[in-house]
Amino acid sequence: MNIGDASALSGVSAKMIRYYEQTGLIPLAARTASGYRNYADADVHMLRFIARSRDLGFPISEITDLLDLWRNTDRRSADVKALAQARIQDLRHKITHLQDMADTLETLVRSCAGDERPDCPILHNLETEAFPASGRRSNHAGPHANINERITS
Amino acid sequence: MNIGDASALSGVSAKMIRYYEQTGLIPLAARTASGYRNYADADVHMLRFIARSRDLGFPISEITDLLDLWRNTDRRSADVKALAQARIQDLRHKITHLQDMADTLETLVRSCAGDERPDCPILHNLETEAFPASGRRSNHAGPHANINERITS
DNA sequence: CCTTGACCTTCCCATGATGGGAAGCCCCAT
DNA sequence: ATGGGGCTTCCCATCATGGGAAGGTCAAGG
């Protein structure tokens, strides 16, 4: 099976399959004599596992761990559960953050006439609301620790 | 005022101030004879507006629009309100998506014993749940339209 | 007046997950 | 055998952000 077939069967684009291979998430694919990547059903199975994990919000780093547990028949289900619970925690944090932003905007929107006049409490708030000076940008956890996380909306 | 002062007063890093200038979000800064960027209070004001907008989840493209409205005293508050409402809609979509993921994980976590045994319904689900074949990857809206949006958690 | 250190400048690189596209090779069906 | 579609690698772009190097500038203190 060529990469195109594996892609269609797994729901992972060929580009991403190569990327996952390159970054070590999945092992190097077998190759035909002419250099084409060659996939078996087990590989498609693994790719599907990855696609599903990603759809549930797991970052690549945790999918690595999930794959290890998946392949390890001596695993403890407690370890899998812990990973899933950590993911839920993270999702809840993100949800709370988005909810806070939406609530603030909702309040502002309700206070705005929304007519032909230029006067607007939304702009006024953006203009005057002070930023939290207490180290919002101090970034003690290092780059890409908590800020700048990606969601797959 | 040098860029470091403007950064400290606005809460926008010097790196980002230069980036915003380079990408046209803000006008080219005034320069001293020796080439240092020179900022006035009004510039800090603008940077604060940007920081606040970004904290409320507005992408740079919409902050451009907000800045235009802010500067335009002939604006209609309805236009500002519409922008904020669109942002709320987007946030609600993201929240729903994250909520769905969290709910699925919650169900799985509840079904997992979480003990020393390897048997785990979470892994089983990841392994067998089919991906929605009906064009989940069809991406009609083009790259970066809805997927891969960034949140500032 | 000169040194020192903090600040500024530009330039390049990296992130994470993803797609676009070019140049060139391969394989199958007509 | 030829054409078209699929495969290969390689480079580039995204978005907002930081890291770091190499070098210029400025103010304070000796």
Side-chain angles (χ1 to χ4, degrees):
Chain A
M1 183 176 5
N2 283 341
I3 198 170
D5 306 305
S7 170
L9 289 172
S10 67
V12 179
S13 74
K15 280 274 191 190
M16 289 314 297
I17 296 177
R18 295 194 195 95
Y19 171 76
Y20 290 153
E21 180 183 325
Q22 192 193 320
T23 56
L25 178 63
I26 60 180
L28 293 174
R31 299 284 187 141
T32 66
S34 59
Y36 280 24
R37 284 177 184 77
N38 193 269
Y39 297 94
D41 287 347
D43 298 314
V44 173
H45 205 194
M46 178 178 59
L47 288 170
R48 244 198 270 234
F49 182 97
I50 292 170
R52 174 71 174 153
S53 301
R54 184 202 45 195
D55 286 351
L56 285 178
F58 287 96
I60 297 289
S61 56
E62 287 181 25
I63 297 180
T64 304
D65 299 337
L66 284 173
L67 279 172
D68 285 345
L69 289 168
W70 186 45
R71 285 188 281 244
N72 176 12
T73 53
D74 289 341
R75 68 184 163 255
R76 304 181 315 136
S77 63
D79 292 341
V80 182
K81 189 169 184 169
L83 229 40
Q85 281 170 327
R87 188 94 312 271
I88 291 172
Q89 270 303 102
D90 189 80
L91 288 169
R92 299 248 182 272
H93 284 149
K94 285 177 176 164
I95 290 167
T96 300
H97 185 227
L98 296 182
Q99 193 66 60
D100 287 349
M101 297 192 295
D103 289 350
T104 301
L105 282 169
E106 194 67 64
T107 301
L108 290 175
V109 157
R110 266 197 289 270
S111 69
C112 174
D115 55 19
E116 304 298 315
R117 291 168 299 169
D119 189 51
C120 177
I122 301 173
L123 289 181
H124 187 74
N125 176 284
L126 290 173
E127 192 178 333
T128 60
E129 200 65 22
F131 75 97
S134 55
R136 182 163 57 74
R137 311 253 160 259
S138 62
N139 199 10
H140 286 300
H144 307 119
N146 275 320
I147 59 175
N148 291 342
E149 288 187 16
R150 192 169 282 276
I151 64 169
T152 312
S153 66
Chain B
M1 190 178 356
N2 283 342
I3 198 172
D5 305 305
S7 170
L9 289 172
S10 67
V12 179
S13 74
K15 280 274 191 193
M16 290 315 297
I17 295 176
R18 295 194 194 97
Y19 172 76
Y20 291 152
E21 178 182 327
Q22 191 192 319
T23 56
L25 177 63
I26 60 180
L28 293 174
R31 300 281 186 143
T32 65
S34 58
Y36 280 24
R37 284 175 183 78
N38 194 268
Y39 297 94
D41 288 346
D43 299 313
V44 172
H45 207 193
M46 178 179 58
L47 289 170
R48 244 197 269 233
F49 182 97
I50 293 170
R52 173 73 173 156
S53 302
R54 184 201 45 195
D55 287 351
L56 285 179
F58 287 97
I60 297 290
S61 57
E62 288 181 25
I63 297 181
T64 304
D65 299 338
L66 284 173
L67 280 172
D68 285 345
L69 288 167
W70 186 46
R71 286 187 278 244
N72 176 11
T73 53
D74 290 341
R75 68 184 163 253
R76 304 182 314 137
S77 64
D79 292 341
V80 181
K81 188 169 185 170
L83 230 39
Q85 280 169 329
R87 187 95 311 271
I88 291 171
Q89 272 301 103
D90 189 82
L91 288 169
R92 299 247 182 273
H93 284 150
K94 286 177 176 165
I95 290 167
T96 301
H97 185 228
L98 296 181
Q99 192 69 57
D100 287 349
M101 297 193 294
D103 289 351
T104 301
L105 282 169
E106 194 68 63
T107 302
L108 291 174
V109 156
R110 267 197 289 267
S111 69
C112 173
D115 55 20
E116 304 299 315
R117 291 169 299 170
D119 189 51
C120 178
I122 301 172
L123 288 180
H124 188 74
N125 176 284
L126 291 173
E127 193 178 334
T128 60
E129 200 66 21
F131 76 98
S134 56
R136 182 164 57 77
R137 313 249 159 260
S138 63
N139 200 10
H140 285 300
H144 309 119
N146 276 319
I147 60 174
N148 289 340
E149 288 190 15
R150 190 170 281 274
I151 64 169
T152 313
S153 63

